[in-house]
Amino acid sequence: MARIGLIAAHGKTEAESLAAEVIPWLEQRGCEVLNEDELRGGARPDVIVALGGDGLIMRVAHDLPDIPILGINVGRVGFLAMTERQHWQDALQEIIDGRYEVQEGPTLEATVFRNGQAIVDAWAINDVVIRSGMQLIDVEVYIDERYVNTYPGDGMIVATPQGSTAYCMAAGGPVLAAGVGGFAVTPICAHSPIRTTLVVPKSALIELVLASEREAHLILDGVPELELQEGDVVTVRDGAHRFRLAVLEGMNFYDAFRSKFNFMIRPDAVPTLGRRGRERP
Amino acid sequence: MARIGLIAAHGKTEAESLAAEVIPWLEQRGCEVLNEDELRGGARPDVIVALGGDGLIMRVAHDLPDIPILGINVGRVGFLAMTERQHWQDALQEIIDGRYEVQEGPTLEATVFRNGQAIVDAWAINDVVIRSGMQLIDVEVYIDERYVNTYPGDGMIVATPQGSTAYCMAAGGPVLAAGVGGFAVTPICAHSPIRTTLVVPKSALIELVLASEREAHLILDGVPELELQEGDVVTVRDGAHRFRLAVLEGMNFYDAFRSKFNFMIRPDAVPTLGRRGRERP
Amino acid sequence: MARIGLIAAHGKTEAESLAAEVIPWLEQRGCEVLNEDELRGGARPDVIVALGGDGLIMRVAHDLPDIPILGINVGRVGFLAMTERQHWQDALQEIIDGRYEVQEGPTLEATVFRNGQAIVDAWAINDVVIRSGMQLIDVEVYIDERYVNTYPGDGMIVATPQGSTAYCMAAGGPVLAAGVGGFAVTPICAHSPIRTTLVVPKSALIELVLASEREAHLILDGVPELELQEGDVVTVRDGAHRFRLAVLEGMNFYDAFRSKFNFMIRPDAVPTLGRRGRERP
Amino acid sequence: MARIGLIAAHGKTEAESLAAEVIPWLEQRGCEVLNEDELRGGARPDVIVALGGDGLIMRVAHDLPDIPILGINVGRVGFLAMTERQHWQDALQEIIDGRYEVQEGPTLEATVFRNGQAIVDAWAINDVVIRSGMQLIDVEVYIDERYVNTYPGDGMIVATPQGSTAYCMAAGGPVLAAGVGGFAVTPICAHSPIRTTLVVPKSALIELVLASEREAHLILDGVPELELQEGDVVTVRDGAHRFRLAVLEGMNFYDAFRSKFNFMIRPDAVPTLGRRGRERP
């Protein structure tokens, strides 16, 4: 018997009315359905079904870490929430039948040292960012206790594979596919042409030092965590938690990448090796 | 007793005269020294000492794969040949004493299928490249049998970590530090703004299809291998060989990256966390 | 009475059958229609109507320079040929009525000096390119007799505004809108992070020196012109000819840029300041 | 008789002690020397000599617009202040003798419209920037009343040629050499691969619309001017003022670009066409 957690985006009518359909549907099929309160109370389901967009998936993964999440997209763009609303019944049937894989991604643990004392310890699913206020800042980068460079600019991004399509790609960095054992370290608007992303192994100790007096913030997954001071050392490394997505058979990162981001360069191109990407002759 | 292979760059007087110094020096310290003929005959040393530049290291790694190489730089730029000429005695003493680590990188196996038949099978240390002649070509990319996109442009690069600082970085791609479990797939001058590098796991099956009638070549480690035809499928995957460098204590990829490539953005910047990068307070 | 030149893409049935419709239509409206032979014989029309794609427009502009061209798109992508096939009657009526503007762009004159002698003098509408064969080349760049840098890589592109959306943009360079008084000098895959495009004034003297023994070609508008030798100096400057497009009222570079290149980042975005770009409240 | 304005960086001992040397030196050579108070009172010199770094030049050009400035570098990096401290006597003698050119660059006038009312009107020498606070914003771009695109990201930069080496280049944009009749419009970390800079003619009307509720600021030459609100329209166009530098014979933008920014890709490269860049055989 499957134990399914169910969380709908707060205050989103469409998500809430979908929840009202989903709950009896699951119960009729013999599932135990856990609501948000029960989940927060410590109940552990096999999978959490999130009715909302990518923002909801991120919130759930933060609050209830390590549990596989299936996102049903009730929103504008669903890159992580890969199941479109109208296919919810098929998708949930696959979950009930156990026909899914768990795609696991790393998280990042960030610790801020000020005058030798750890003053903040937090973790992120997508990225750990040092970002300047209105003025240019210098950030020193060290990998495994070796000095890499001092980057003047708008700051620095450390991204996981699942976070690489967000700020990292926006800043000119690469996309790391799921399963790549590494993190991307990408300078933001470095006032230098030397702004190549460095991809480091998952085992790396990444240290970022704010080497300017100017305003700068530590931002985790888009949420400001702390205003930094000159000399603060932010260490970033592979975190204890794992980001887990329940992936159904038809789901495909590359399809999503192409269609959700409008990345189909030639809309009329027909792939030679198969028409739908996942079925090849 | 250490068995040391010794290969000097052909026709380079400076390398050959250094070899004449190195051989007796090693023998006086009880080493067995194997020359290029013996090595090609199948003799297996602990380490091959290459007297030359990065080109020589690449040649040796191709001809005598899997054996750790220490490069002593007798040339212009030594990025892989990290030991400068004047330090050869200290470096070789460390080799004799076993005070070195072996840094291991993957290789790439490339197979070309034409009309369903494998017509070429070859391998590369740095990169497998499809590159256009004078005119724009279309290259389709598939990862693990899933269609990614069709890229019109000058071609496509698949690079290993050790190859990422070469053509991959030149084409706008990231640098993958040693130890990253992945390969970088980077379009060359894609006639589209959609040219973000995709870093894929080491286990990935990468398929590149030439989807144009125009001239294009398969190039491995900078050496042309084959003129491709429309419809040719080039599969690229983790190769059987390993690229091994003997790394001494003081060697440092990030120092080399900064100094050899003139990547010191602010020549006057002093790293906060230690003066020499590898010694921290 | 309007004098209209008419040129259809050779061997393209669709273009030729459209020509058979267009000619009597124009003559019925009192136009003098000049065919390709008459045009090549020196007859000068007010406008040349080109039935084909962007390739045809480029060919016509080369062979019959300085005459305004209206392209009717009978092909896949018409970026210069901005009138779609089904709107040909409206478009030609506007030409007959004189309701069009002539958008004028510069051309590039390229001269190759070998051992102090000018050996080739040619001109281009889009771009003058030095491009490597299989191996990396060094290109020195000088602007107005001042040394800029030596770029190791795949070569160098000098582009006009109308050419900037082609190879220049593909190599990471900017798009220059029509009317910008300048040319873009963009390195191709420079093996250095220092690959920022330099936009120089239209009056600039650009000199490119091939500083390598390796194979390299001079390519004008995508057509190979000459195999270069080490030490060859290619001077590039504003050419004598002008590239002229007849632009109708509804035509819009930015619309074309967005739609033809699939550059609509957010397909659902609705511009605040007006729905169709050219009509504002 | 030359009228020379003299302004030293405030509170910078080195600049002030240099001023104490320069004033009698100029007076002995028959110059009228105007101090900062006199200049602010409306006195108009031929040239203002600024003793300080690039920051001082920017401040002087803002406060006393349109007057040619010669910067003597008393600071870390002098890109605009191209005369090094030790050469001050030679440089000032050239000014006295009239042996200089005035290099003139445009400025940008920015007006903010809120609910149809102009609420701010200001101008900039280098760049007009809309920059997000902690979260992604949408900026719509229009050129000459035509819609270009909606860019989600960190904002948008409009840069003059003299400003292009600053934030514009940092964001991946091109460098516009002095004399290019255009402005560079560069998205900052666009969350889309479509982030190509658009260079528009100097005559263009550039309109930027903040299409998000989130925090964003208008920043001119690095100085915050206004917190923007959703729907605010920022128009940017060629300003009334001119940025004027007094340029001596030996000064060279390309040399400065290469040396000040450490842009010498191959430190050992020797230009073929002349040894010092400005002297050719």
Side-chain angles (χ1 to χ4, degrees), chain D residues 48-78:
Chain D
I48 295 175
V49 173
L51 309 176
D54 289 358
L56 178 64
I57 291 187
M58 292 295 286
R59 183 170 69 75
V60 168
H62 266 285
D63 293 352
L64 302 162
D66 297 310
I67 307 169
I69 303 171
L70 178 85
I72 295 178
N73 184 31
V74 184
R76 214 167 43 147
V77 176

Side-chain angles (χ1 to χ4, degrees), chain A residues 2 4 14 24 32 81 86 104 115 132-133 146 148 193 206 208 231 239 256 265:
Chain A
I4 309 281
E14 199 184 344
E32 181 182 358
Q86 65 269 30
E104 187 175 296
N115 303 319
S132 64
R146 287 164 193 268
V148 175
I206 303 159
L208 310 176
I265 302 176

Side-chain angles (χ1 to χ4, degrees), chain A residues 18-256:
Chain A
L18 180 58
E21 283 185 78
V22 168
I23 293 167
W25 190 94
L26 284 171
E27 287 173 344
Q28 281 161 23
R29 277 150 190 84
C31 297
E32 181 182 358
V33 181
L34 301 169
N35 66 26
E36 188 162 351
D37 287 342
E38 291 166 315
L39 293 167
R40 288 180 182 279
R44 280 292 159 268
D46 302 316
V47 170
I48 295 175
V49 173
L51 308 176
D54 290 357
L56 179 65
I57 291 187
M58 292 296 287
R59 182 171 70 74
V60 169
H62 266 285
D63 293 352
L64 301 161
D66 298 309
I67 306 169
I69 303 171
L70 178 85
I72 295 178
N73 185 30
V74 185
R76 214 166 44 144
V77 175
F79 186 68
L80 298 171
M82 274 195 274
T83 299
E84 292 305 320
R85 204 212 132 115
Q86 65 269 30
H87 303 128
W88 69 267
Q89 292 178 331
D90 290 347
L92 293 187
Q93 192 61 55
E94 292 185 61
I95 295 291
I96 291 168
D97 299 345
R99 289 182 284 129
Y100 63 95
E101 290 182 9
V102 175
Q103 180 187 290
E104 187 175 296
T107 60
L108 292 165
E109 182 179 1
T111 310
V112 182
F113 292 88
R114 183 170 292 166
N115 303 319
Q117 301 289 328
I119 59 166
V120 162
D121 190 69
W123 65 280
I125 293 165
N126 274 351
D127 47 31
V128 174
V129 174
I130 294 182
R131 187 161 180 269
S132 64
M134 301 284 182
Q135 289 180 292
L136 177 151
I137 57 173
D138 280 356
V139 177
E140 297 172 5
V141 175
Y142 301 78
I143 306 296
D144 291 335
E145 308 204 339
R146 287 164 193 268
Y147 174 60
V148 175
N149 233 319
T150 300
Y151 295 86
D154 282 6
M156 193 68 51
I157 302 160
V158 182
T160 60
Q162 67 268 12
S164 64
T165 53
Y167 205 177
C168 168
M169 185 175 75
V175 167
L176 311 188
V180 171
F183 301 117
V185 183
T186 301
I188 311 170
C189 294
H191 277 248
S192 154
I194 303 167
R195 60 175 75 94
T196 297
T197 290
L198 189 62
V199 181
V200 299
K202 222 173 80 169
S203 61
L205 169 64
I206 303 159
E207 289 170 294
L208 310 176
V209 180
L210 177 62
S212 303
E213 281 181 41
R214 291 165 174 171
E215 188 192 344
H217 294 85
L218 179 69
I219 302 174
L220 280 80
D221 288 337
V223 180
E225 177 75 33
L226 180 73
E227 181 163 352
L228 295 170
Q229 294 182 7
E230 188 180 8
D232 282 357
V233 180
V234 182
T235 65
V236 186
R237 54 167 84 229
D238 189 17
H241 292 302
R242 290 288 167 264
F243 175 65
R244 294 193 169 92
L245 283 180
V247 176
L248 306 182
E249 203 189 332
M251 290 178 176
N252 184 337
F253 168 77
Y254 301 108
D255 280 350

Side-chain angles (χ1 to χ4, degrees), chain B residues 98-171:
Chain B
R99 288 182 283 128
Y100 63 94
E101 290 181 8
V102 175
Q103 181 186 289
E104 188 175 295
T107 61
L108 292 165
E109 182 178 1
T111 311
V112 182
F113 292 88
R114 182 170 293 168
N115 305 319
Q117 300 289 327
I119 57 166
V120 162
D121 190 70
W123 64 282
I125 293 166
N126 275 350
D127 46 31
V128 173
V129 175
I130 294 182
R131 187 160 180 270
S132 64
M134 300 285 182
Q135 288 182 294
L136 178 151
I137 57 172
D138 280 356
V139 178
E140 297 172 4
V141 175
Y142 301 78
I143 306 296
D144 291 334
E145 309 203 339
R146 287 165 192 270
Y147 174 61
V148 176
N149 233 320
T150 301
Y151 295 86
D154 283 5
M156 193 68 50
I157 303 160
V158 182
T160 60
Q162 66 268 12
S164 64
T165 53
Y167 204 177
C168 168
M169 184 175 76

Side-chain angles (χ1 to χ4, degrees), chain A residues 76 131-135 138 154 165-173 188-195 215 217 219 222 224 261-263, chain D residues 76 131-135 138 154 165-173 188-195 215 217 219 222 224 261-263:
Chain A
R76 214 166 44 144
R131 187 161 180 269
S132 64
M134 301 284 182
Q135 289 180 292
D138 280 356
D154 282 6
T165 53
Y167 205 177
C168 168
M169 185 175 75
I188 311 170
C189 294
H191 277 248
S192 154
I194 303 167
R195 60 175 75 94
E215 188 192 344
H217 294 85
I219 302 174
F261 287 172
N262 195 25
F263 270 24
Chain D
R76 214 167 43 147
R131 188 160 180 268
S132 64
M134 301 284 183
Q135 288 181 294
D138 279 357
D154 282 5
T165 52
Y167 204 178
C168 168
M169 184 176 77
I188 310 171
C189 294
H191 276 248
S192 154
I194 303 167
R195 60 175 75 92
E215 186 191 347
H217 294 85
I219 302 175
F261 287 173
N262 195 25
F263 270 25

